Amino acid sequence: QVQLVESGGGLVQAGGSLRLSCAASGSILRINSMGWYRQAPGNQRELVATITSGGSTNYADSVKGRFTISRDNPKNTVYLQVNNLKPEDPAVYYCNADIINVRLRQIDQWGQGTQVTVST
C-alpha cells in the first residue's frame, strides 16, 4: 500500500560525504514527519534526524553540524546529506515516515535500510 525506497548508501572515504534519499510511494494522502535512523552491528537503532512537514528539523548531538535533513514534499522524498564521515557513522540507515493514507489511516512506515560503509 505504501512503501519507502532508500538509496544513496555505499562505500565512502573517511571524511567524505554522500546523500541518502528516501522516496515514499503508494496510496498516500499526506506525510507528516519523516526521519532517518541508523543501526550498527551490536548497537541499538538510534535516531539521527527528523523533519516535520513544515520543515522543522531535529538532530542527534553526534551528527549536529555534519548531517543535514531535508525534504521535497511534492516528491514525497526525504534526504540526508552526510558530511565529514566519522568512524562511528557506518551503519545501516533506515528511513521512517509518519504517513496518512487515502483512507485517513496513520501508518508508521519504515524503509528497508541502506548500508553506509567507510573505507580508507
Side-chain angles (χ1 to χ4, degrees):
Q1 296 179 3
V2 297
Q3 185 179 16
L4 302 182
V5 178
E6 296 147 320
S7 62
L11 187 63
V12 186
Q13 291 283 338
S17 301
L18 53 76
R19 188 180 72 164
L20 306 181
S21 299
C22 173
S25 62
S27 302
I28 298 171
L29 177 66
R30 178 168 53 89
I31 302 178
N32 295 322
S33 63
M34 305 184 78
W36 289 93
Y37 298 73
R38 67 186 182 186
Q39 186 170 20
N43 291 4
Q44 296 180 341
R45 186 173 299 186
E46 63 178 352
L47 184 146
V48 176
T50 60
I51 184 168
T52 68
S53 60
S56 180
T57 59
N58 184 52
Y59 296 92
D61 289 340
S62 59
V63 306
K64 287 181 179 178
R66 300 188 299 118
F67 292 10
T68 302
I69 188 171
S70 61
R71 63 191 288 171
D72 186 337
N73 289 332
K75 296 182 179 179
N76 289 333
T77 300
V78 63
Y79 306 94
L80 185 69
Q81 180 67 42
V82 180
N83 295 329
N84 190 21
L85 201 63
K86 294 184 176 181
E88 64 267 29
D89 294 326
V92 177
Y93 283 70
Y94 296 92
C95 178
N96 175 261
D98 178 8
I99 296 173
I100 307 299
N101 69 10
V102 296
R103 298 181 181 180
L104 301 181
R105 179 181 178 182
Q106 189 273 334
I107 302 171
D108 186 18
Q109 185 70 40
W110 290 89
Q112 81 288 347
T114 183
Q115 179 74 53
V116 175
T117 307
V118 176
S119 67
T120 57

